[in-house]
Amino acid sequence: MTSPKLATQTDSGRMYSRKVGGEAIVPSITTVIGMDNMDLSGWAGYMAAKSLSEDHRLAQALGDARQLRSLVRDSASAAEAYRDQAAARGDRVHNYAEARALQALGQGHDLAEARAALEANNELAYAQHFETWWTDYNVEPLAAEVTVWNDSVGYAGTIDLVAKIGGRTCIVDYKTKTSDRDGVVKRPDDKVIMQLAAACKAEEQVVDAESGEWKPWEFGTDTMLLAVALGDTGTRTFMAPAPALPDYWAKFYALRRNWEATHKISQARATLAEITPPAR
């Protein structure tokens, strides 16, 4: 799930190729959306302060400037460490969800291994609540972890799940979330609407990644776009509002142009050129 066969991490973000081993030529959906940067400095500062205040070595270090500087350095990376831990947890939860869909589709899967990975990290509650969601919504999977491509705009991505739910074809994106103080799973960021809109606008879907065989995208019309927040205390399901999709798509399109300009500048290594005074 976390490393689709056709995806490659580059200096310009994650990019996709048309077949395994081919040239990476278009950015991923999430890379494009990543051009809409959020200011996380406040959060990073909070995480650093929180890490320092909770460090059991703090009381002893207060009288030792050298030791205190060491604790400060450790706490400064707290936000990055938290992000990496959350990403790893998200990978494990997504792997379980993918394996569950593959099992239902009668395809090869590693559900037992995915469940064991969650259990080893005391995260089995995510799997249990996911199973409840799967049953409550009577999910009928059509495709799992399907890679799609839009050649007109120039991007690709991998969709978590396409399924029949309540008689409707749905494109589903999973978001692993923590819970608030009341034990309620937090809602996904509205940026997921951009992600779903871009997925819906795909033109092709991969058939065989090794050979580079593609076919027309089957699920781009009359689909319901869902973001499912998967937590250790429950799940929450959100539908992307249809009237807002054109605006989210327009924003995604603009971000794709932004990415292209940034990519070209990076490739050209275009920087300020220092000049000397003119000759007299």
Side-chain angles (χ1 to χ4, degrees):
M1 189 287 303
T2 55
S3 299
K5 285 185 176 181
L6 298 177
T8 303
Q9 193 63 36
T10 73
D11 291 340
S12 297
R14 175 174 282 188
M15 297 183 68
Y16 277 79
S17 57
R18 293 290 288 179
K19 66 177 182 179
V20 173
E23 181 184 1
I25 54 178
V26 298
S28 72
I29 292 173
T30 51
T31 291
V32 172
I33 293 174
M35 298 302 295
D36 188 22
N37 290 323
M38 296 177 61
D39 182 6
L40 298 177
S41 57
W43 174 75
Y46 167 77
M47 291 300 297
K50 181 174 182 290
S51 173
L52 184 61
S53 67
E54 295 175 350
D55 196 312
H56 67 278
R57 300 169 296 173
L58 180 60
Q60 181 181 352
L62 288 177
D64 185 335
R66 185 175 178 180
Q67 188 177 359
L68 186 58
R69 284 195 298 271
S70 177
L71 293 189
V72 170
R73 284 195 299 271
D74 290 345
S75 66
S77 62
E80 183 178 346
Y82 179 87
R83 179 201 63 196
D84 291 345
Q85 291 168 5
R89 180 174 61 248
D91 289 349
R92 291 189 289 270
V93 175
H94 275 69
N95 286 339
Y96 181 88
E98 176 190 356
R100 181 66 178 84
L102 291 174
Q103 181 193 53
L105 288 165
Q107 300 177 14
H109 62 84
D110 58 356
L111 187 62
E113 292 87 344
R115 183 180 180 86
L118 289 173
E119 187 172 13
N121 287 276
N122 298 315
E123 296 164 346
L124 206 52
Y126 288 92
Q128 295 166 345
H129 290 299
F130 174 81
E131 291 292 346
T132 299
W133 173 80
W134 189 273
T135 301
D136 288 349
Y137 281 80
N138 192 24
V139 178
E140 302 174 45
L142 301 174
E145 293 301 315
V146 56
T147 295
V148 297
W149 193 284
N150 181 306
D151 193 56
S152 299
V153 178
Y155 66 87
T158 301
I159 296 171
D160 290 338
L161 178 69
V162 181
K164 285 280 187 181
I165 299 177
R168 291 285 304 277
T169 299
C170 301
I171 295 175
V172 181
D173 189 82
Y174 302 127
K175 297 298 181 188
T176 305
K177 305 297 292 184
T178 56
S179 302
D180 63 19
R181 294 178 181 177
D182 297 322
V184 178
V185 177
K186 296 177 181 178
R187 60 184 293 127
D189 190 285
D190 281 340
K191 283 186 179 182
V192 72
I193 302 175
M194 256 197 294
Q195 190 172 346
L196 290 164
C200 191
K201 288 283 190 177
E203 297 171 344
E204 296 176 278
Q205 64 188 81
V206 72
V207 175
D208 188 316
E210 296 290 340
S211 65
E213 181 184 355
W214 297 74
K215 67 179 180 180
W217 174 227
E218 301 175 36
F219 307 108
T221 58
D222 193 32
T223 53
M224 188 159 56
L225 308 181
L226 302 179
V228 180
L230 304 177
D232 61 352
T233 60
T235 65
R236 296 174 70 186
T237 303
F238 300 84
M239 181 180 68
L245 291 179
D247 291 330
Y248 275 97
W249 168 251
K251 183 173 183 179
F252 178 85
Y253 185 84
L255 290 172
R256 172 59 180 80
R257 294 185 66 183
N258 187 356
W259 176 89
E260 182 173 359
T262 302
H263 178 66
K264 287 181 177 178
I265 290 169
S266 175
Q267 294 295 102
R269 301 186 183 278
T271 62
L272 289 169
E274 185 175 2
I275 63 173
T276 58
R280 293 185 178 181

